[in-house]
């Protein structure tokens, strides 16, 4: 149980710090003309969700501009495991984007914790490989 405490602290702290996202907050920048979250990520994620729920690859999205190759768009990350997982959840697209942000922060925090543990163990004993 002692080994789980740091991971639980990371998850708990991230959920507290980003609690507005868990409650449905959509991050916007009100002083800028456009917003990547509302103008790019959420519409693309909605199209990705719809395609994946129909078990189709989102090759072409006719509802964006005059037609758009959604699968070729690098920012949607259609094959990224977290994007696929969050797109398949039965939640709206804006909430899917928020969950993806939180999961990414938790995974990177745990990775940094494990990296620091490994690094510290090697500095304590320089002969250890």
């Amino acid at each position: 149980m002692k080994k789980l405490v740091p991971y639980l602290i990371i998850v708990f702290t991230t959920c507290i710090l980003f609690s507005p996202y868990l409650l449905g907050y959509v991050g916007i920048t009100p002083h800028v003309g456009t917003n990547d979250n509302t103008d790019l990520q959420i519409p693309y994620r909605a199209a990705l969700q719809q395609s994946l729920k129909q078990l189709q690859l989102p090759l072409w999205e006719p509802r964006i501009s005059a037609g758009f190759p959604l699968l070729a768009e690098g920012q949607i990350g259609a094959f990224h495991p977290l994007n696929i997982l969050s797109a398949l959840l039965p939640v709206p697209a804006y909430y899917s984007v928020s969950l993806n942000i939180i999961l990414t922060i938790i995974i990177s925090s745990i990775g940094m914790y494990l990296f620091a543990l490994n690094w510290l163990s090697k500095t304590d004993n320089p002969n250890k490989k």
Side-chain angles (χ1 to χ4, degrees), residues 30-47:
H31 303 296
V32 179
T34 61
N35 183 311
D36 281 348
N37 203 16
T38 57
D39 296 345
L40 180 85
Q41 296 296 328
I42 293 173
Y44 288 4
R45 182 65 51 90

Side-chain angles (χ1 to χ4, degrees), residues 15 18-27 37-38 41-43 45-46 49 53 82-83 85-104:
C15 288
F18 292 92
S19 60
Y21 286 98
L22 290 174
L23 300 174
Y25 169 76
V26 176
N37 203 16
T38 57
Q41 296 296 328
I42 293 173
R45 182 65 51 90
Q49 276 183 327
K53 285 180 182 175
L82 283 181
N83 288 342
L85 173 69
S86 60
L88 292 175
L89 293 174
V91 296
Y94 71 90
Y95 198 73
S96 170
V97 171
S98 297
L99 286 177
N100 201 344
I101 291 169
I102 292 171
L103 286 174
T104 300

Side-chain angles (χ1 to χ4, degrees), residues 64-75:
I64 298 176
S65 297
F68 188 78
L70 188 61
L71 191 63
E73 170 57 40
Q75 293 192 38

Side-chain angles (χ1 to χ4, degrees), residues 28 44 54 57 62 68 75 80 87 93 117:
I28 61 170
Y44 288 4
Q54 295 171 356
L57 289 176
F68 188 78
Q75 293 192 38
H80 189 276
L117 275 181

